[in-house]
Amino acid sequence: MQLTAYGKARRHELALITKLLLMFKLTAVFVLLTCLQAGARALAQGITLSEENAPMEKVLKEIRKQSGLTIWYEDALLQKSKPVDIHIRNGNLDTVLAHIFRDQPLSYEIINHSILAIREREAETSPKAVSPPFVVHGKVLGEEGEPLAGVSVSVKGSRQGTVTNAKGEFALSGLDSLATLVLTGANTETKEIKLEGRTTLVIRLKNKVQQISEVAITVSNGYQEISKENFTGTAVTISGEDLKKVDPQNVLRSLQSFDPSFKIVENNLAGSNPNALPNINVRGSTALPSGSGTDVISRNTLSSGVNLPTFILDGYEVSLEQVYDLDINRIKSITLLKDAAATAVYGSRAANGVVVITTNPPKNGKLQVSYNYELNTTTPDLTQYHVLDASQKLAYENMAGLYNANNNGALSQDQLNDVYYHKLGMILSGVNTYWLSQPLQTTFGQKHSVYVEGGSGPFRVGLAARYETSPGVMKGSGRDRYSTDLTLSYNLGSKFLFRNDISATQMNSVASPYGDFSNYARMNPYYPKYDSTGHIAQVVDTYVDRSGGGVTTNYELNPMYDATLKSFNKDQYFQFVDAFSADWTIMQGLRLRGQISVNRTSGSSDQFISPMANEYYFYSSTQLNEKGSYTYGDSVTTVADGNMTLNYNHKLGGHFLNVLVGANFRTSLTDTKSFSATGFTNDQFPDIGFAYGYATGSTPNSYVDKERLFGTFASANYSYKDKYLMDLTFREDGSSQFGSNNRIAPFSAVGIGWNMHKEDFMKGSPFSRLKIRASTGLTGSVSFAPYMAQTTYSYYTGSWYSTGAGAIVSNYGNQNLQWQKTRDYDLGMEIGLLQDRILIMPRYYYKLTTGLVSSVSLPPSTGFSSYLDNVGNMRNTGEELNLQVNVIRNRNFNLSLTANLTHNRNVIVKISDALKAYNERVDSAQTNSANMGAPLLRYQEGQSLDAIYAVRSLGIDPETGNEIFVKKNGTLTYNWSVNDIVPAGNTESKVEGFFGTNVRYKQFNLLLNFYTRLGGQLYNQTLVDRVENADPHYNVDYRVLSQRWEKPGDRVFFKNVADLGQTQVSSRFIQRDNVLALNSFYLSYDAGHGFSSKLGMRGLRFAFTTNDLFWWGSVKQERGIDYPYARSFTTSILANF
Amino acid sequence: MRKYSILLLALVLLTLASCKKWLNLTPESQVAAQDLFKTQEGFEEALNGVYTRCGQGDIYGQELTCGLPDVLAQDYSLSTINDPLSYLQSADFNYTDANFLNRENNLWSGLYNAVVNCNLILANVDQQKSIFTGNDYALIKGEALALRAYLHFDALRLFAPSYASNSSAPAIPYVTTYSNKVTSLSTVSTVVKDVIADLLQAKAILAPADSIRNADYIVGYPSDPAQTETSSSDLFEQNRRHRMNYFAVCGELARAYLFEGDYPDALSNALEVINAKKFPWTNQADFLNATPALQDLILYKELVFGWYIPWQTPSLQSLFQSGTGGLFLLPADAQFIYEANGVGGEDLRYKEWMQVSVSGAVQLMKYRMNPSVTPNDPTANICPQMAPAIRLSEMYYIAAECSFDQSPSTALGYLNTVRAQRGIGNPLTDSTKTQFLTDLLKDARKEFFGEGQIFYMYKRLNTSIVGSSGIIIPPSDSIFVLPLPINETEFGG
């Protein structure tokens, strides 16, 4: 039987159905179907008809189309009908129907508000019309009296509802005259109106009061949602929208501004390189860079990743790169878990903090489309670069004695004069190249991101797509990301919820063919970049020198030349993630949840260096088959991550208990292969197939890395009358990375809290919030390569013995190797005054990491030089302060001030002998000319990891121009000695953080966010490398010309300009490091509803953000050595349909 | 609710129990020791690994074969202009020089790294005895024992005083376990006892198993159709002379007994090698062959044991063929060493090994290989790149030294045999032992040039080193005994 229109039902059947329907008061199924049919359209819009002498059937069809009504009738009846004349615009349904049926032998009836049943007009006797149903007409207005479109109007306790039209009007019929309407708008407060028999209403809605960083009501730790008020751990939750305001291009940087204890370690080499992944630590360093290698670590080459927090995206662990490449529009919120009470459920992955990212789940209801467009402009920031121009440079060379035969025995004075006048000639002919700007560009990056969501009943769908390009300020460099994400959720009854997310991301990155920026900073301005034919010259200068007994001709090559070739260096990966979760509400308060995700990332890197490149310029003709190289790398990572949790909460009287037990596993497999080939005849065919052969002495490489983790955990959150709080967590982890003697690791945490403001005695006090909490716990981290706990053999791949391939033991496998343990104490307060207009949240923490994994030296007679063991302890203590003041808070105008400040102190409590031996190695490296001027990383017990090691200096002796050093025993000397190196400074700031303001006036929103750090120290490398140790053959910092010692009596900072000896690491260059920067400036405008609805939109927002607009630092040094820093400007449009 | 909790708890406990196994992961691109030693092939690879390790440049691939010991023995004339190889201070016996300390540390670490590889094999081989087929168990265990002794013995000869000088002096650790614990120093005599004990055990194990003792094992160049060295179908059984074969153990025993001054045992072991008649003297035609591809400069067939080091070819070429930038001799020094103006005028070794280069420096040709047209072309050279470890001639020298007291004529006979093979026509007729030893040393120096043995001989006999243009450096433990590396001593080892 056909339920919908035009069925050929007989009259009695129809009557029966009608009866049945009425009898069962419409079954749920029926409601569903009609809702699907009519939905929000029903009766909301008026009916427009214009018919002359039209058959009844045609008119009814039209009404059905426009109103969405289901119409029931019998064909035979319609034959009796007369043609209809009707002209109506936006007519009310009742009016229309009354008109049509006025002269007909038929009558009609509306069942519920959507079924129109037609029957024969009963006995000609009484022309009694059907009593019209109860109809309500209403108009919804905003605070300013403007009509509000798109406000949903629903009838409380039923599924009936509609949405206001562009004029803010709505109509509902067929409802109880005493019903209650619920009005919900996107930007307004929800309001309930009792009808009390009224048929016309004018309703005013209040705007929602927006807060700067909305205080989240719950905290998500990735496994469960915990009421924030009753949580004793330290967690900071930031909404995706707020993150986007601060820095729409980089979610990690944005996160830092909300909590500076999530610290992105400044990398002065990489600058604003979009392809450089940041190094992050939370509440200080908890790992020692392993000193097992022979290479000495300088501050800039610190390997990244040792201190990284764990990133959890929708319940499964992801890599830093995955977060870096995540579409910021997908983020609903990010929660940073910092202390043990908050992180202990992550056990061996918890010690460096946990970042929990939740993405937007699709909303229920009508299909909604949001579209976001961003135009990102970046411009290089060269304000910290001050190099000499052509004539200054030549003057400096002259001062430095390059053209004085007494200083340069290689050439005669005549020859030197020739060189000098040759250069002078170039300058006089007008050559003055500003090399710094050559590899740079202003970039325009674009981002389109679309999100479609909607659903009804049990099904919900969300589909996101993104196209994002991020070109870098060095020409040719960039990082492009494309992604799609499909979320499906299905509610089976009220007990089961299934959700599946599929996402695919493609990332393409390219490094600049221009090479390192430092190559441009050193180019002499009197070199022309073009040759006489107007092409980029490869050799910009040749000069004769005499060294080591022979006359040599030196060629100065143009770094720009490489960019004219077809060399490239690019990376890409494709990532596919499928995450499935199932949620079963077993009974009230008891929930079982299972989740599994599979993540497969396959990446490759291709680097081709043209045979014509500068690096092969000096290759002899016999090395032709070594010119040009191609390196290919390929890596596939597959991760499966799953967990199962059982959550129980129960409220009994004042007691509230929330218990979670669960287990999770993670297994990852990374398979990496790489090989390189050399020998290309030209760069027309930059394909590895054109190579002559493998690079000399190289063989293909491969590495397979497997890791497995299994953990079970339980946590309980108890509160009594919301006043007295307690959290308990326990977790046991097993990891394949631990030694076989220590496979299972227990972790635990406990936290207590007191919501004082809930106490009776606090009633009437100015404190709207006063919470005190304390927690302690033990968490872990694993920061060593897999298999270090096992004795492993590796094969000699390049050299086989005559009797077969050989395998050799590669490490001493320490079966007792363990995870690092961090014991953590955290104290915190939350103070709210004047209805939380002023919020002050101070925190103190103490973190002691024991069993620091580090290499231990062995006597070589054991066959090994070192092995990994748990030695060494490190302590981090610090204070954090969050401050928020809502100065003005009313409908049209909000003004608030925020500050997030932090201070961390790091102390190495104990280190291994191997690290002491490493310090000795550093001593010898420090005297080697490559490292002479740079303070190297050292480890000393009682000192900070951030200490700067140098020989103390009293400055330049005005009499002699020599530097006066302070020996370890306090006596003075002119002679620098590596034995006098002491910790002479510390890069840890006294205060570091962000402060700013948020102003909202009507539809405008302004946010200013400043970064500052005070009280730390920095070693000014520019003064050493580019002033004192500067090679006069290359361009240098402008300060070489000033403040140099020239004659006795000069009280200056720099040593004698003619002293070409290398300056050694000295405390003279340690300077106060104070920084103030405009981290972010954000301005947005929300178009009024009137305007956006004219464009057919529900909402429209324009926003402008600029990052790093200005940067001021007390240390004047070049910033961004290999890649310059940049300022960024983002304009964005967000439209909702 | 309770039902579910119990169910879940049971599930969790079950998974926990099976989880330990699940967490035992073994690396894929490397091999866990426990997996390697599950198969016979794994043991073979581990043993081949020791030889490959020894053939690296830090030890026998270069440094211990033609580097530091020969520098100390004053065999090279080093350039004083810019010290390209940083050997100058070492040649002056400055044992505090950073370059010396670095080299010394590398070769010490290298030797013991090879030792620990032997120890890992020995720690596993007996438990897994059942997996072996044929002679594999004997070859692997015997060779690992012998290698351990060989490596320790060279460490002893470098870092300890000679037995004659001070046999009770603390010497080196004799490491027999795989552990991160420090092994304390043994005295010179204890180390020699341990070396001999390991060698004797190896000799007993190899005696019935080593195919080199078979009559059908015929030594020769790879291209020689008569040779059977590469005829075994099992690669592991081929080229016995590239590994610690039975006769190599005899030769090493002869060395160790001689070090102790135990002439009868040294003699019997040396004679066992000589009398086996396995190792023919090199045909003069092969030594002198004018076609570079066919010239045998290393005297391949006389090698009782040598390290196979083809990967060292480029490094050795640049070491010896860089004129004064590498290792070289001044013409006068070469003539002096080979007595070119006297009895050595017709010495084939002088003629073939000492070649004047364009720059006027005399270069050692012993390790010269014909550059192959295609990589690893087997026809490019008559024999592979080898680092000699034990030579037949050394057995004659040992036999001569051990028998002089008994029968000077027998002793002179052995020595004259070697000289005659090298083209020195007039035989020696020394009557005093001093004279005999002087002549023995002179010939050994010619023979062992660039093979790292002569320094040990000076030391064992406690004789003066004759330096450049005849400068006499008197014997002393301050020059003969290399200090233990700092990395070792700081552990109080």
Side-chain angles (χ1 to χ4, degrees), chain A residues 320-336:
Chain A
L320 172 70
E321 189 166 37
Q322 210 170 333
V323 176
Y324 186 70
D325 290 334
L326 188 69
D327 181 3
I328 200 167
N329 292 310
R330 279 189 62 208
I331 298 172
K332 183 182 169 214
S333 70
I334 292 189
T335 304
L336 177 63

Side-chain angles (χ1 to χ4, degrees), chain A residues 584 586-587 590 592 644-646 648 661-663 665-669 702-710 712 732-737 740 743-744 786-787 790-796 798-815 857-864 867 869 913 917 920, chain B residues 1 4-5 8 11-12 15-16 19-34 36-37 42 44-53 56 105 108-109 112-113 115-117 120-121 173 175 177-183 235-239 242-243 305-311 485 487-488 490-491:
Chain A
W584 176 26
I586 302 168
M587 52 183 263
L590 183 66
L592 180 68
M644 179 153 279
T645 52
L646 186 71
Y648 175 69
V661 292
F665 79 94
R666 184 171 194 273
T667 159
S668 83
L669 172 76
S702 76
Y703 189 70
V704 177
D705 185 355
K706 279 198 282 189
E707 277 176 53
R708 278 177 186 170
L709 173 96
F710 183 83
T712 51
E732 214 166 58
D733 258 351
S735 167
S736 63
Q737 276 171 286
S740 57
R743 271 285 149 77
I744 307 292
Y787 321 134
Q790 286 184 43
T791 301
T792 50
Y793 271 76
S794 53
Y795 283 88
Y796 279 109
S799 43
W800 282 20
Y801 206 68
S802 54
T803 58
I808 187 158
V809 65
S810 42
N811 70 306
Y812 178 80
N814 179 5
Q815 303 195 325
S857 292
L858 284 174
S861 62
T862 57
F864 304 96
Y867 72 107
D869 205 352
D913 293 338
E920 284 160 19
Chain B
M1 149 78 197
Y4 293 122
S5 316
L8 192 85
L11 197 77
V12 165
T15 18
L16 260 183
C19 141
K20 264 203 155 176
K21 207 170 163 190
W22 186 70
L23 294 174
N24 277 322
L25 277 183
T26 51
E28 283 192 3
S29 44
Q30 294 173 307
V31 179
Q34 63 200 57
L36 187 77
F37 293 127
E44 291 178 356
E45 284 161 1
L47 187 65
N48 281 326
V50 183
Y51 291 102
T52 320
R53 175 69 191 85
Q56 303 302 305
N105 185 48
W108 172 273
S109 305
Y112 279 100
N113 185 234
V115 166
V116 81
N117 279 280
L120 270 160
I121 295 172
V175 184
T177 55
Y178 165 65
S179 152
N180 61 352
K181 300 283 178 298
V182 186
T183 307
L235 191 62
F236 190 68
E237 299 263 357
Q238 290 186 5
N239 285 315
H242 295 180
R243 301 228 309 264
F305 169 42
W307 311 97
Y308 171 81
I309 52 166
W311 51 84
N487 286 353
E488 185 68 33
E490 68 186 1
F491 289 90

Side-chain angles (χ1 to χ4, degrees), chain A residues 514-533:
Chain A
Y514 283 81
D516 284 349
F517 186 62
S518 53
N519 291 337
Y520 296 85
R522 69 199 277 275
M523 283 300 278
N524 283 321
Y526 49 69
Y527 292 150
K529 55 187 174 184
Y530 299 115
D531 62 17
S532 54
T533 61

Side-chain angles (χ1 to χ4, degrees), chain A residues 54 74 87 177 227 315 344 484 580 613 691 733 741 745 778 788 839 980 1126:
Chain A
E74 198 181 357
H87 297 278
S177 63
S227 152
T484 64
F580 175 79
D733 258 351
N741 294 347
L778 185 73
M788 287 315 271
L839 275 177
D980 294 327

Side-chain angles (χ1 to χ4, degrees), chain B residues 97-173:
Chain B
D97 170 53
N99 293 309
F100 167 81
L101 292 172
N102 188 33
R103 275 204 175 89
E104 169 192 69
N105 185 48
N106 286 346
L107 65 88
W108 172 273
S109 305
L111 287 171
Y112 279 100
N113 185 234
V115 166
V116 81
N117 279 280
C118 296
N119 283 333
L120 270 160
I121 295 172
L122 292 169
N124 288 284
V125 74
D126 284 329
Q127 298 161 24
Q128 300 283 71
K129 196 172 177 180
S130 58
I131 63 169
F132 293 99
T133 58
N135 292 325
D136 251 34
Y137 169 77
L139 290 184
I140 288 164
K141 185 172 181 184
E143 288 182 36
L145 277 167
L147 277 167
R148 180 167 82 187
Y150 186 98
L151 295 161
H152 277 113
F153 187 58
D154 276 0
L156 181 77
R157 293 198 288 180
L158 281 166
F159 293 94
S162 67
Y163 196 90
S165 160
N166 186 356
S167 67
S168 59
I172 57 161

